[in-house]
């Protein structure tokens, strides 16, 4: 790869600087608009060798593992630590605005709901046994190289402080050098730790892991794939005053602040509704809040998540009726005739979006919809379907719960025109 000098024109959707050259665009991670950088070019990708002219808005990264000169390699967890705060916020808003524009949607985009360092309560670590011991951290961008983490400013302190415990458990359970993953959720009773990708441990290793998990402070549950190895105390989350015991490796919003902000938007928009359908409900992030004022029908494919929601409802007084239904909404979306009894709908699908369900909602007479998404592109596609079915988008609010990453959540509020 030959060295080449380029000037960065703009930021791309993944946070990379983009240089326009005669050979086409070149994507340069950790570069900013207006900068002149020397790169090693490999087709459409450039690696910074040196910054010849830096932007006045370049910030000093908060983490030693960030950037091309990061300690132990370049951590792939963050992409934007070098971006000034005002430009960072504008970038996140633009991700949503650009997705809407691509689908011909002209509607208000509200200011970014922010998050900050130390708020992330959920993470998935990469790990592998080496000759030197357990390597644990995050993978480099577009690589299987694992960067050993010595600090992480985005993780909650309680989660980061338990990294030695994760290494201890990995050292017990990992019997070969195959890579594995550890999904961790911080709950009010301790960490919910789920290993995947490991060879089935021997009984000796299993018993050693149980002893370690019982001894180390701050561990609520240890799971290997779908099997609970030990549960010193049930992992618990509070959702608007209702205690929920999430199943292992279940989806939870990444930060509490983002969850509360999204819930406030949804509840305000659906205020006064008597009957609400919560689609892709999970274990009740929205359903449990809505049930204070409305009857809720929660629809979700994950049976264990539904069981957690049902248990939470049955053990909490003062809620309206909450019914549950296990259903694959990608294959069997709720039809207009099934939606007749609902005043409002909220849906929060995976990154693939809710195309099939949006098509049925577009044919329905539901008066109000709140659409929540972690993918602006599929959200905009689904909103276009709803617009063509007679809905009006009243607002879209970007929500940043993936701090310093190129990802952004959004909440769209719609009414039948």
């Amino acid at each position: 790869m030959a060295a080449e000098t380029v000037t960065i024109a703009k930021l791309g959707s993944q946070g990379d600087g983009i240089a326009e050259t005669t050979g086409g665009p070149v994507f340069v991670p950790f570069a900013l608009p207006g900068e002149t950088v020397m790169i090693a070019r490999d087709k459409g990708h450039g690696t910074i060798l040196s910054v010849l002219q830096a932007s006045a808005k370049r910030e000093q990264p908060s983490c030693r593992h960030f950037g091309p000169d990061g300690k132990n390699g370049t951590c792939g967890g963050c992409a934007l630590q070098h971006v000034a705060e005002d430009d960072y916020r504008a970038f996140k808003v633009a991700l949503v605005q650009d997705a809407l524009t691509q689908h011909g949607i002209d509607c208000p985009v509200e200011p970014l709901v922010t998050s900050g360092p130390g708020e992330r309560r959920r993470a998935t670590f990469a790990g592998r046994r080496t000759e030197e011991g357990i390597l644990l951290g995050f993978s480099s961008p577009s690589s299987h190289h694992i960067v050993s983490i010595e600090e992480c400013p985005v993780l909650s302190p309680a989660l980061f402080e338990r990294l030695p415990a994760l290494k201890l458990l990995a050292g017990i359970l990992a019997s070969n050098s195959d890579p594995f993953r550890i999904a961790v959720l911080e709950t009010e009773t301790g960490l919910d730790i789920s290993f995947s990708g490991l060879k089935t441990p021997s009984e000796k290793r299993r018993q050693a892991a149980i002893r370690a998990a019982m001894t180390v402070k701050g561990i609520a549950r240890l799971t290997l794939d779908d099997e609970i190895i030990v549960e010193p105390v049930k992992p618990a989350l509070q959702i608007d005053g209702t205690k929920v015991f999430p199943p292992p490796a279940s989806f939870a919003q990444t930060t509490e602040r983002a969850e509360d902000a999204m819930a406030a938007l949804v509840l305000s928009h659906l205020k006064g509704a008597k009957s609400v359908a919560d689609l892709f409900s999970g274990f009740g992030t929205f359903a449990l809040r809505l049930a204070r004022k409305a009857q809720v029908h929660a629809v979700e494919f994950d049976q264990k998540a539904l069981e957690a929601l049902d248990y939470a409802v049955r053990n909490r007084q003062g809620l309206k009726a909450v019914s549950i239904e296990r259903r694959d909404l990608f294959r069997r979306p709720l039809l207009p005739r099934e939606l007749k009894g609902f005043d409002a709908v909220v849906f929060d699908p995976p990154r693939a979006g809710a195309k099939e369900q949006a098509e049925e909602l577009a044919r329905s007479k539901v008066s109000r919809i709140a659409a929540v998404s972690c993918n602006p592109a599929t959200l905009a596609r689904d909103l276009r379907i709803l617009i063509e079915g007679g809905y009006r988008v009243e607002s879209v609010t970007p929500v940043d719960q993936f701090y310093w990453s190129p990802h952004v959540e959004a909440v769209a509020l719609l009414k039948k025109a």
Side-chain angles (χ1 to χ4, degrees):
M1 295 183 290
E4 183 176 339
T5 299
V6 297
T7 299
I8 305 301
K10 58 183 179 180
L11 284 183
S13 62
Q14 296 304 305
D16 296 342
I18 301 178
E20 301 293 348
T21 73
T22 55
V26 180
F27 294 83
V28 185
F30 314 116
L32 293 175
E35 292 188 332
T36 301
V37 294
M38 182 178 292
I39 62 170
R41 179 172 178 173
D42 182 11
K43 298 180 181 178
H45 182 271
T47 300
I48 290 181
L49 300 176
S50 63
V51 178
L52 303 179
Q53 182 177 343
S55 167
K57 289 196 170 184
R58 175 173 282 274
E59 294 285 331
Q60 181 65 32
S62 298
C63 178
R64 74 186 76 176
H65 304 298
F66 179 83
D69 300 320
K71 185 175 180 180
N72 303 329
T74 301
C75 173
C78 295
L80 298 162
Q81 286 191 23
H82 61 307
V83 180
E85 185 66 22
D86 56 345
D87 288 352
Y88 172 82
R89 294 188 183 196
F91 170 79
K92 292 266 174 146
V93 173
L95 290 175
V96 176
Q97 185 67 72
D98 291 349
L100 296 173
T101 300
Q102 288 174 12
H103 286 269
I105 300 172
D106 183 13
C107 70
V109 175
E110 303 297 327
L112 180 72
V113 175
T114 60
S115 64
E119 294 188 24
R120 187 160 184 159
R121 62 177 177 179
R122 177 171 62 87
T124 300
F125 299 95
R128 185 165 54 84
R129 178 179 286 283
T130 70
E131 293 180 356
E132 289 76 30
I134 294 296
L135 178 62
L136 187 68
F138 297 114
S139 298
S140 293
S142 304
S143 166
H144 294 297
H145 173 69
I146 299 172
V147 177
S148 179
I149 298 299
E150 297 177 13
E151 67 175 319
C152 185
V154 298
L155 294 180
S156 77
L159 199 164
F160 180 76
E161 288 167 4
R162 295 292 180 274
L163 281 184
L166 298 183
K167 282 189 175 183
L168 172 65
L169 292 168
I172 295 169
L173 291 170
S175 58
N176 57 31
S177 60
D178 291 345
F180 56 86
R181 301 180 76 79
I182 313 175
V184 185
L185 172 65
E186 180 190 353
T187 76
E188 67 175 25
T189 53
L191 297 189
D192 188 7
I193 302 169
S194 298
F195 279 80
S196 61
L198 287 174
K199 179 183 176 182
T200 302
S202 65
E203 185 59 27
K204 182 178 179 181
R205 288 180 180 274
R206 183 186 299 267
Q207 291 301 319
I210 291 173
R211 289 193 296 271
M214 294 291 291
T215 302
V216 175
K217 183 180 178 180
I219 295 178
R221 178 168 60 197
L222 173 62
T223 305
L224 178 58
D225 295 322
D226 293 327
E227 180 190 359
I228 297 176
I229 302 298
V230 64
E231 189 178 69
V233 58
K234 280 188 174 297
L237 297 173
Q238 289 284 345
I239 297 180
D240 196 29
T242 300
K243 184 169 286 190
V244 179
F245 302 106
S250 59
F251 173 80
Q253 298 296 342
T254 304
T255 76
E256 289 187 70
R257 183 167 20 164
E259 178 179 314
D260 290 343
M262 292 188 292
L265 289 165
V266 170
L267 265 63
S268 176
H269 184 59
L270 305 188
K271 185 177 180 180
K274 302 297 184 184
S275 181
V276 181
D278 181 0
L279 310 181
F280 307 95
S281 67
F283 51 68
T285 299
F286 299 111
L288 290 169
R289 290 175 166 94
L290 290 163
R292 282 181 172 269
K293 301 290 185 181
Q295 294 184 356
V296 179
H297 183 56
V299 185
E300 169 63 52
F301 186 67
D302 185 339
Q303 179 65 34
K304 291 182 179 179
L306 283 177
E307 291 171 357
L309 170 57
D310 184 56
Y311 184 87
V313 170
R314 287 189 286 108
N315 286 274
R316 171 70 193 275
Q317 295 181 340
L319 299 180
K320 301 287 187 180
V322 178
S323 56
I324 62 173
E325 178 183 359
R326 184 172 188 257
R327 185 162 175 164
D328 185 344
L329 291 168
F330 295 108
R331 296 178 180 272
R332 293 181 55 238
L334 264 66
L335 303 175
R337 59 180 171 78
E338 297 174 284
L339 292 162
K340 278 184 179 179
F342 299 108
D343 305 320
V345 166
V346 55
F347 64 87
D348 182 10
R351 289 189 62 80
K355 178 176 180 291
E356 295 79 9
Q357 186 60 73
E359 289 170 346
E360 301 303 332
L361 279 166
R363 297 167 50 219
S364 78
K365 295 183 179 179
V366 174
S367 61
R368 284 175 285 171
I369 296 175
V372 183
S373 175
C374 60
N375 185 343
T378 56
L379 173 65
R381 178 203 64 199
D382 296 344
L383 293 182
R384 169 47 61 188
I385 293 170
L386 293 169
I387 290 169
E388 292 175 355
Y391 285 91
R392 179 181 66 252
V393 181
E394 300 216 318
S395 69
V396 178
T397 303
V399 180
D400 183 19
Q401 64 172 330
F402 304 101
Y403 197 58
W404 285 326
S405 83
H407 304 297
V408 65
E409 201 102 1
V411 179
L413 308 177
L414 304 96
K415 286 186 177 179
K416 196 76 172 182

